[in-house]
Amino acid sequence: MIFYRQKIGNFNDGFDKYSIIVLLSENYNLLQKDSKKISEAIAGSNAEDEMRITKYFNQEINLKRDEILSHLRTKSFFPGRQVIMLYGLSEKDHKIITEIGSAWQSQDAITIITMDKLSKNSELK
């Protein structure tokens, strides 16, 4: 599911039913705040303390592709949903998004991705 930041609205909109949530905005700081709110809506406010949220930033995403994919199925010691956060992904790196979508199963971690913008002919649309 792709959300443009200014059109998100209610954060309790059943985000946990999606495998991948892509947030788009040119304001990186607001994207981080929104992704945190969404991760809390999905996994709860203690998820970060319980190490059920895994974060990766733009430069390391491609280098840690296998690690990210393995986190999809990794189960936590604590009960509750797992979340993978990919900050600052560029559109040219869309292959990892399709890999996550293909590998995802119903109880796997939900991936939240922040991106600057998408081109008009983007494969992600």
Side-chain angles (χ1 to χ4, degrees), residues 3 6-7 10 38 40 47 55 61 64 67-68 81 85 87 93 100 105-106 110 112 118 121 123 125:
F3 291 96
Q6 61 273 26
K7 297 180 184 177
N10 187 354
I38 292 171
E40 286 179 359
K55 298 177 183 180
I61 291 170
K64 296 187 176 184
E67 182 180 316
I68 293 168
R81 202 65 188 245
M85 301 180 74
Y87 289 110
D93 298 322
I100 290 169
Q105 295 180 4
S106 67
I110 295 174
I112 300 173
L118 293 177
N121 299 328
E123 293 182 37
K125 288 185 177 182

Side-chain angles (χ1 to χ4, degrees), residues 2 4 8-9 23 28-29 32 45-47 50 52 63 68 70-71 83 86 97 105 107 109 114 118-119 122:
I2 297 175
Y4 290 90
I8 285 181
L23 301 174
Y28 184 76
N29 291 331
Q32 284 189 305
S45 59
N46 292 332
E50 295 173 352
R52 290 185 289 116
L63 298 173
I68 293 168
S70 75
H71 273 291
V83 176
L86 306 179
I97 297 172
Q105 295 180 4
Q107 293 303 309
T114 64
L118 293 177
S119 65
S122 174

Side-chain angles (χ1 to χ4, degrees), residues 34-45 47 53 83 85 112:
D34 290 346
S35 64
K36 182 174 175 34
K37 287 179 187 177
I38 292 171
S39 70
E40 286 179 359
I42 293 168
S45 59
I53 296 178
V83 176
M85 301 180 74
I112 300 173

Side-chain angles (χ1 to χ4, degrees), residues 63-125:
L63 298 173
K64 296 187 176 184
R65 174 172 284 177
D66 292 336
E67 182 180 316
I68 293 168
L69 291 171
S70 75
H71 273 291
L72 281 177
R73 291 195 173 75
T74 302
K75 300 298 179 207
S76 173
F77 176 75
F78 296 97
R81 202 65 188 245
Q82 303 261 63
V83 176
I84 299 170
M85 301 180 74
L86 306 179
Y87 289 110
L89 194 69
S90 70
E91 186 176 352
K92 66 180 170 94
D93 298 322
H94 71 279
K95 289 181 182 178
I96 192 161
I97 297 172
T98 55
E99 285 180 56
I100 290 169
S102 296
W104 190 83
Q105 295 180 4
S106 67
Q107 293 303 309
D108 288 348
I110 295 174
T111 304
I112 300 173
I113 298 170
T114 64
M115 297 178 77
D116 190 19
K117 58 185 171 184
L118 293 177
S119 65
K120 290 182 181 183
N121 299 328
S122 174
E123 293 182 37
L124 292 175
K125 288 185 177 182

Side-chain angles (χ1 to χ4, degrees), residues 46-64:
N46 292 332
E48 197 153 0
D49 293 336
E50 295 173 352
M51 297 182 290
R52 290 185 289 116
I53 296 178
T54 309
K55 298 177 183 180
Y56 297 93
F57 295 88
N58 54 3
Q59 294 90 355
E60 65 183 345
I61 291 170
N62 282 324
L63 298 173
K64 296 187 176 184

